[in-house]
């Protein structure tokens, strides 16, 4: 069986950032307008007044201070509160393809590889902008990669599920190198008018090259010591958007066609599942928890990450042990743990072990144990 390594990663960060202050100014202006326009119905008790959001709550409850987005004006327009992303003609690359190419070129360059070295492309993310053809096949064409590609969606865990899929393809000899790309335009599925969740998400794209160990030469190699995936059905994070929506006109445009969650339940249930899976994956790789010096966790909420690492380590993690990027990126879904891995790996010494762990809707948990070569 061939051994697999991660030989390069890439990150595309969109050009616009929205601070909490900008977000709150927009949200509270929308609330004031809604309440003024509906004052008579609110006074009669027929409609509930909307409540304001606050910077203090967001930072305390989540640790998020800002988020990158592919388009800003439409989100901050109180009469719209949706990104404005014009459709493109079929003969132009899609916006997800453009993001994927930018991140992939960086991953290939870091790995010292070209398109000719890659046999398989996986676009693994939470939201795909169309049903078909697969974005992965478009990315394959845009980069000039031979072989095959397909899309996969395991919500926030898509990247780690993609890594295990790539490892299996390398081990079995189906591919010499697999490019996994995670283009996330979460601003498109976020309900910017929902006080409970309007601050949660941001946009980004990551790319990971998984290669056959005996072919890889890059200075950024991580041996993949083990992977573990887990899913357990839950309605606590859900989005009912889909191709059958048109078959019941009464539901079109309703809030359940966007991201929604039972935040408290998710927090409690997912942290426990993630901590358990991390411990199992480390043990299955033949390591003790004390031999792992870095945890690149899913970036949804700082308090979730503090609790998860505490459950794994039996103590609070030092900041360098569990790097945080959600303060400036917010929750970028599948890209989050890979952004942390991409930005916080170069200081690791040869032989140092780390764990990439994602968690999210499904529920889904994905763990990858790696060793710096
Ligand atoms: N601004 C101000 N106050 C707000 C608010 C906002 N935007 N949103 C909620 N509140 C208020 C609520 O009304 C509530 O008030 P009350 O105590 O008077 O009833 C209080 O803050 C607590 O609300 P709650 O929804 O219980 O907040 P929380 O502490 O659970 O934090 C999340 C909310 C979403 C940050 C948190 O539950 C979470 O991170 N959950 C899961 C993580 C996640 O994001 N997962 C995504 C996929 S992994």
């Amino acid at each position: 069986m061939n051994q697999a390594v991660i030989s390069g990663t890439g990150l595309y960060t969109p050009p616009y950032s929205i601070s909490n202050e900008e977000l709150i100014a927009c949200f509270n202006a929308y609330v004031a307008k809604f309440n003024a326009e509906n004052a008579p119905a609110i006074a009669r008790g027929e409609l509930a007044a909307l409540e304001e959001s606050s910077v203090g709550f967001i930072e305390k409850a989540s640790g998020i201070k800002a988020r990158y987005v592919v388009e800003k004006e439409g989100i901050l327009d109180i009469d719209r509160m949706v990104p404005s992303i014009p459709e493109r003609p079929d003969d132009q690359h899609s916006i997800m393809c453009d993001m994927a190419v930018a991140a992939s070129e960086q991953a290939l360059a870091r790995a010292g590889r070209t398109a000719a070295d890659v046999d398989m492309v996986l676009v693994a993310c939470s939201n795909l902008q169309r049903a078909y053809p697969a974005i992965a096949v478009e990315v394959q064409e845009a980069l000039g990669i031979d072989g095959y590609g397909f899309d996969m969606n395991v919500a926030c865990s898509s990247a780690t599920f993609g890594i295990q899929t790539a490892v299996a393809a390398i081990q079995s000899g189906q591919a010499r190198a697999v490019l996994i790309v995670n283009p996330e335009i979460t601003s498109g599925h976020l309900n910017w008018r929902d006080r409970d969740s309007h601050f949660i998400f941001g946009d980004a794209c990551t790319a990971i090259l998984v290669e056959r160990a005996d072919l890889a030469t890059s200075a950024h190699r991580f041996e993949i010591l083990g992977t573990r995936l887990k899913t357990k059905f839950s309605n606590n994070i859900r989005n009912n958007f889909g191709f059958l929506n048109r078959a019941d006109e009464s539901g079109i445009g309703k809030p359940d066609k966007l991201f929604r969650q039972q935040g408290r339940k998710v927090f409690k249930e997912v942290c426990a599942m993630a901590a358990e899976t991390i411990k199992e994956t480390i043990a299955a790789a033949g390591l003790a928890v004390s031999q792992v010096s870095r945890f690149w966790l899913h970036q949804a909420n700082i308090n979730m990450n503090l609790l998860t690492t505490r459950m794994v380590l039996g103590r609070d993690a030092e900041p360098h042990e569990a790097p945080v990027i959600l303060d400036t990126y917010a929750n970028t879904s599948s890209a989050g743990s890979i952004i942390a891995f991409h930005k916080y790996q170069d200081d690791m010494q040869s032989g140092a072990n780390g764990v990439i762990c994602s968690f999210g809707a499904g529920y889904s948990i994905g763990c990858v144990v790696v060793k710096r070569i």
Side-chain angles (χ1 to χ4, degrees):
M1 227 166 42
N2 299 313
Q3 180 58 43
V5 298
I6 295 175
S7 56
T9 50
L11 167 64
Y12 167 78
T13 301
Y16 310 105
S17 173
I18 299 177
S19 68
N20 283 346
E21 288 74 13
E22 289 174 287
L23 188 73
I24 293 302
C26 165
F27 185 87
N28 289 350
Y30 155 71
V31 166
K33 187 170 184 236
F34 178 93
N35 289 344
E37 283 175 357
N38 294 287
I42 292 168
R44 287 195 300 272
E46 292 163 13
L47 199 65
L50 296 182
E51 291 179 80
E52 291 195 336
S53 185
S54 80
V55 171
F57 171 82
I58 295 173
E59 294 187 3
K60 188 162 174 282
S62 72
I64 295 165
K65 297 189 170 116
R67 67 286 296 145
Y68 290 98
V69 288
V70 296
E71 198 280 333
K72 179 169 173 175
E73 279 181 27
I75 294 170
L76 296 182
D77 173 353
I78 62 164
D79 294 317
R80 180 178 170 86
M81 296 175 83
V82 175
S84 177
I85 305 172
E87 288 189 6
R88 295 180 182 183
D90 289 355
D91 62 0
Q92 279 181 23
H93 285 142
S94 63
I95 181 169
M96 289 187 85
C97 177
D98 280 351
M99 294 167 82
V101 166
S104 297
E105 284 174 345
Q106 222 184 87
L108 287 170
R110 254 177 94 82
R113 288 286 171 250
T114 68
D117 302 306
V118 181
D119 294 323
M120 178 177 170
V121 179
L122 291 177
V123 165
C125 61
S126 282
N127 295 285
L128 290 154
Q129 77 180 90
R130 62 167 182 260
Y132 43 80
I135 306 287
V137 181
E138 189 186 3
V139 172
Q140 184 197 344
E141 188 265 345
L143 289 168
I145 292 171
D146 207 3
Y148 62 101
F150 57 91
D151 294 346
M152 51 187 284
N153 176 359
V154 201
C156 291
S157 285
S158 298
T160 49
F161 277 60
I163 291 174
Q164 178 163 306
T165 307
V167 168
I170 299 286
Q171 286 174 337
S172 66
Q174 283 175 317
R176 295 164 299 157
V178 181
L179 181 64
I180 305 152
V181 204
N182 322 107
E184 293 287 9
I185 308 182
T186 61
S187 56
H189 83 162
L190 179 55
N191 185 350
W192 296 90
R193 290 194 167 100
D194 174 33
R195 179 176 178 254
D196 289 344
S197 64
H198 74 114
F199 54 90
I200 286 180
F201 284 103
D203 302 337
C205 179
T206 45
I208 310 148
L209 193 72
V210 176
E211 265 193 273
R212 234 170 74 185
D214 60 330
L215 299 177
T217 54
S218 104
H220 311 287
R221 279 168 297 157
F222 281 84
E223 184 181 347
I224 298 174
L225 300 180
T227 59
R228 206 172 189 87
L229 310 180
K230 195 169 276 184
T231 50
K232 186 172 188 290
F233 188 75
S234 168
N235 278 318
N236 291 333
I237 312 173
R238 197 164 168 130
N239 181 343
N240 289 336
F241 180 78
F243 81 103
L244 285 180
N245 293 163
R246 65 191 280 267
D248 182 354
E249 291 82 348
S250 70
I252 293 174
K254 294 278 161 66
D256 74 312
K257 307 305 182 298
L258 297 169
F259 168 88
R260 66 205 160 104
Q261 71 170 348
Q262 302 286 327
R264 283 273 156 118
K265 287 186 188 161
V266 171
F267 193 110
K268 210 169 141 236
E269 292 167 7
V270 167
C271 288
M273 258 181 94
E276 207 45 47
T277 310
I278 290 170
K279 286 194 269 188
E280 285 169 12
T281 321
I282 292 171
L287 297 175
V289 169
S290 58
Q291 292 173 281
V292 176
S293 55
R294 192 146 304 172
F295 296 86
W296 299 282
L297 299 186
H298 177 46
Q299 303 281 316
N301 178 305
I302 186 66
N303 301 315
M304 280 182 104
N305 289 11
L306 293 172
L307 177 60
T308 303
T309 44
R310 197 178 301 136
M311 288 166 101
V312 172
L313 295 168
R315 60 170 171 83
D316 288 336
E318 299 291 331
H320 65 88
E321 291 178 295
V324 175
I325 60 95
L326 63 85
D327 51 345
T328 50
Y329 280 83
N331 181 349
T332 52
S333 195
S334 67
S337 58
I338 308 302
I339 299 175
F341 176 64
H342 176 76
K343 284 182 173 274
Y344 294 94
Q345 58 167 249
D346 285 344
D347 63 318
M348 285 179 77
Q349 302 294 315
S350 175
N353 301 307
V355 174
I356 303 169
C357 178
S358 63
F359 32 88
Y363 296 134
S364 55
I365 317 281
C367 266
V368 182
V369 181
V370 295
K371 182 171 85 178
R372 181 74 196 249
I373 293 176

